[in-house]
Amino acid sequence: MSIESQKTNTAVYMEQTPEVDKLDKKFDDDGRAERTGTLWTASAHIITAVIGSGVLSLAWAIAQLGWVAGPIVLMAFSFITYFTSTLLADCYRSPGPIHGDRNYTYMDVVRSHLGGVKVQLCGLAQYTNLVGISIGYTITASISMVAVKRSNCFHKNGHHVECSISNYPFMVIFAAIQIFLSQIPNFHKLSWLSIVAAVMSFAYSSIGLGLSIAKVAEKGHNVRTGITGTRVGVELTGSEKVWRTFQAIGDIAFAYAFSTVLVEIQDTLKSPPPENKVMKKASFVGVLTTTMFYVLCGCVGYAAFGNDAPGNFLTGFGFYEPFWLIDFANICIAVHLIGAYQVFAQPVFGFVESKCTRKWPDNKFITGEHMVDIPLCGPYNINLFRLVWRTMYVIVTAVFAMIFPFFNDFLGLLGAASFYPLTVYFPIEMHIAQAKIPKYSSPWIWLKVLSWACLVVSLVAAAGSIQGLAHDVRRYKPFKTE
């Protein structure tokens, strides 16, 4: 099945490639244009995908869990994410990790190793999550843009002014930028954008960390922290403590997930050396870098704000002061999310376009390429179907973001539904199948125990997300200016 799929994909690719490109390009073993990705470009993709604006909420998460459980949960999920990413990296080729046939998407990998209805379940979990992330990033980026304008308003007019600003114009601006960037043909041409986004993530994380350290060092700084975090009966009720603990665990667990795009990232790597070995190193670099920033921002942020840590610790420094530094940090967040949107949208684009090309291979609207000479950029191949379909995708995700501005809470539920199957279940099951691990052997038992434990965590996080979503829906007023 994988060989037939590879032949079909290769034939489709060759049909779409203009003759001039066929003469000029080198090709890999599957007939596709030679891949040029390296350890550093893959690491940049991973950091862009993993370090999202969620890093800013980790101080709040640590505040719910306390000094003991908070760092332990962070380290546990960093290990789980790295471990399962190494298993998934070995499954890129099948039946062997080095000399087998390539699999271009997560669904192809599942099809090659497991087959059956699990392929459809994988696709449902993966692409639902990717679309949800696109909507969530539109909302989050607009919030960061609004924060810049509000901080300038407060600085100019004083903190007593209301400074109510609508998110919707900024969602339109974000969508307009994405319409332009969405014409980047595929993941292979995305390296420069991921590198820029990764630099931005380091910038705003470092600013938040630096401001937290400065706050801790302030004379007379005194906030309440604790081994178990927020206190029952003082700061919140027992039931609120339980729900917040569930939400905090879910925030940390899903903050690490990049399995939805791991296969697509691995498919950009040149070989030799073997893709699985490079991808394991890239996963190590990405997860190690992420964990370092998460622990620092989460723990130092908790030390700065204590049990009253805000959901976004960049908004807790003296009411948007120093305003210029907070402005720069929020601009970095917006630029990072511009790149991250593309990292998560490209697999959706590729899935739809490959399906349509296979179904209508003779349709010139879908398969035809038109050479256009763009000033300062040189020649560029425009595909009309790609132009129309990707533009519509960006518009639809922006409209959903405008209609459901609380979608970030719903995104937590989508994350809960996709974390277990994509980050844990499928990598473990495919590793068992690929390595032919005997049933009830010690490795089989330990892998199953890990899988079941993560299922419990995913269900717990889903429960917390549902509770938070229900709370937000009750307060929801459509198109209200914050």
Side-chain angles (χ1 to χ4, degrees):
M1 184 68 177
S2 62
I3 296 175
E4 292 176 2
S5 176
Q6 179 174 326
K7 288 179 178 178
T8 302
N9 288 337
T10 300
V12 166
Y13 182 86
M14 296 297 285
E15 285 173 9
Q16 286 184 291
T17 306
E19 291 298 326
V20 64
D21 288 345
K22 293 180 185 178
L23 294 175
D24 294 340
K25 290 183 177 179
K26 296 180 180 179
F27 295 92
D28 276 332
D29 57 338
D30 60 344
R32 293 194 171 194
E34 187 177 40
R35 293 159 175 83
T36 58
T38 64
L39 168 64
W40 301 114
T41 60
S43 299
H45 284 318
I46 292 171
I47 291 170
T48 300
V50 179
I51 301 184
S53 57
V55 67
L56 303 175
S57 68
L58 288 178
W60 178 88
I62 299 294
Q64 311 314 311
L65 299 172
W67 283 120
V68 176
I72 289 175
V73 171
L74 274 170
M75 297 306 297
F77 280 104
S78 69
F79 170 77
I80 291 170
T81 301
Y82 171 68
F83 174 67
T84 57
S85 70
T86 62
L87 301 184
L88 188 54
D90 282 335
C91 297
Y92 169 66
R93 287 181 181 264
S94 59
I98 297 178
H99 300 296
D101 296 327
R102 296 176 186 268
N103 296 289
Y104 306 117
T105 67
Y106 203 132
M107 285 183 69
D108 290 340
V109 173
V110 175
R111 183 180 292 109
S112 297
H113 291 85
L114 301 176
V117 70
K118 292 179 180 179
V119 179
Q120 282 70 41
L121 292 176
C122 168
L124 179 64
Q126 181 186 12
Y127 292 109
T128 299
N129 191 46
L130 291 173
V131 174
I133 289 173
S134 298
I135 299 171
Y137 278 6
T138 303
I139 297 169
T140 309
S142 70
I143 290 172
S144 295
M145 295 176 188
V146 166
V148 173
K149 195 164 184 179
R150 290 189 71 194
S151 69
N152 289 326
C153 175
F154 289 135
H155 182 75
K156 181 179 179 180
N157 302 312
H159 295 168
H160 62 281
V161 179
E162 187 175 354
C163 290
S164 295
I165 300 168
S166 173
N167 287 18
Y168 302 120
F170 296 96
M171 290 184 184
V172 173
I173 293 172
F174 183 82
I177 295 171
Q178 293 303 335
I179 288 173
F180 173 75
L181 292 176
S182 291
Q183 297 311 307
I184 296 173
N186 50 49
F187 231 119
H188 304 268
K189 306 295 184 182
L190 207 60
S191 298
W192 66 271
L193 187 59
S194 283
I195 291 171
V196 171
V199 171
M200 292 297 103
S201 67
F202 286 135
Y204 69 73
S205 298
S206 299
I207 291 171
L209 178 61
L211 290 173
S212 295
I213 293 173
K215 193 171 182 67
V216 172
E218 281 180 356
K219 187 176 181 179
H221 175 72
N222 183 25
V223 296
R224 183 178 294 278
T225 64
I227 294 176
T228 58
T230 51
R231 297 166 297 166
V232 176
V234 179
E235 291 150 338
L236 70 178
T237 65
S239 62
E240 287 175 336
K241 175 71 173 181
V242 172
W243 289 121
R244 287 193 181 186
T245 299
F246 288 172
Q247 291 172 350
I249 293 173
D251 285 351
I252 294 172
F254 309 132
Y256 276 102
F258 66 97
S259 297
T260 48
V261 292
L262 186 146
V263 176
E264 284 80 2
I265 293 174
Q266 190 166 347
D267 191 45
T268 67
L269 295 174
K270 62 182 179 182
S271 179
E275 303 91 351
N276 65 323
K277 293 183 179 180
V278 176
M279 195 64 196
K280 289 177 182 179
K281 292 179 182 179
S283 296
F284 179 78
V285 171
V287 173
L288 179 65
T289 304
T290 300
T291 301
M292 179 179 68
F293 271 92
Y294 280 8
V295 170
L296 286 173
C297 290
C299 294
V300 178
Y302 181 41
F305 296 105
N307 293 342
D308 294 325
N312 179 346
F313 76 154
L314 276 180
T315 64
F317 298 101
F319 210 78
Y320 292 100
E321 299 289 350
F323 84 101
W324 61 269
L325 192 57
I326 299 299
D327 283 357
F328 180 70
N330 279 298
I331 290 170
C332 289
I333 293 173
V335 173
H336 171 252
L337 291 177
I338 287 171
Y341 182 103
Q342 286 299 313
V343 169
F344 286 100
Q346 284 291 339
V348 181
F349 296 156
F351 175 75
V352 171
E353 287 158 20
S354 63
K355 285 282 187 184
C356 292
T357 303
R358 283 198 293 269
K359 188 168 184 179
W360 298 289
D362 299 324
N363 189 312
K364 296 302 180 183
F365 175 75
I366 295 175
T367 62
E369 297 279 349
H370 305 275
M371 184 73 73
V372 177
D373 192 10
I374 301 177
L376 304 178
C377 296
Y380 177 77
N381 289 326
I382 291 182
N383 175 277
L384 293 178
F385 175 68
R386 183 170 66 224
L387 178 65
V388 173
W389 136 245
R390 295 188 181 193
T391 300
M392 291 304 301
Y393 176 86
V394 173
I395 292 173
V396 169
T397 56
V399 170
F400 268 94
M402 293 176 183
I403 297 174
F404 303 109
F406 55 83
F407 197 85
N408 273 341
D409 298 300
F410 188 58
L411 187 60
L413 180 59
L414 291 176
S418 62
F419 166 75
Y420 172 69
L422 297 176
T423 303
V424 181
Y425 175 77
F426 285 124
I428 286 178
E429 292 299 313
M430 289 188 293
H431 174 69
I432 290 173
Q434 186 184 58
K436 296 180 171 59
I437 298 176
K439 199 172 185 179
Y440 303 119
S441 63
S442 294
W444 185 91
I445 291 173
W446 282 113
L447 288 170
K448 288 292 186 179
V449 168
L450 174 63
S451 180
W452 295 332
C454 289
L455 174 60
V456 172
V457 170
S458 195
L459 292 174
V460 161
S465 297
I466 292 172
Q467 191 272 345
L469 183 63
H471 181 263
D472 284 341
V473 169
R474 285 197 297 269
R475 299 184 298 128
Y476 174 53
K477 294 181 180 179
F479 299 104
K480 180 184 178 182
T481 300
E482 294 296 333

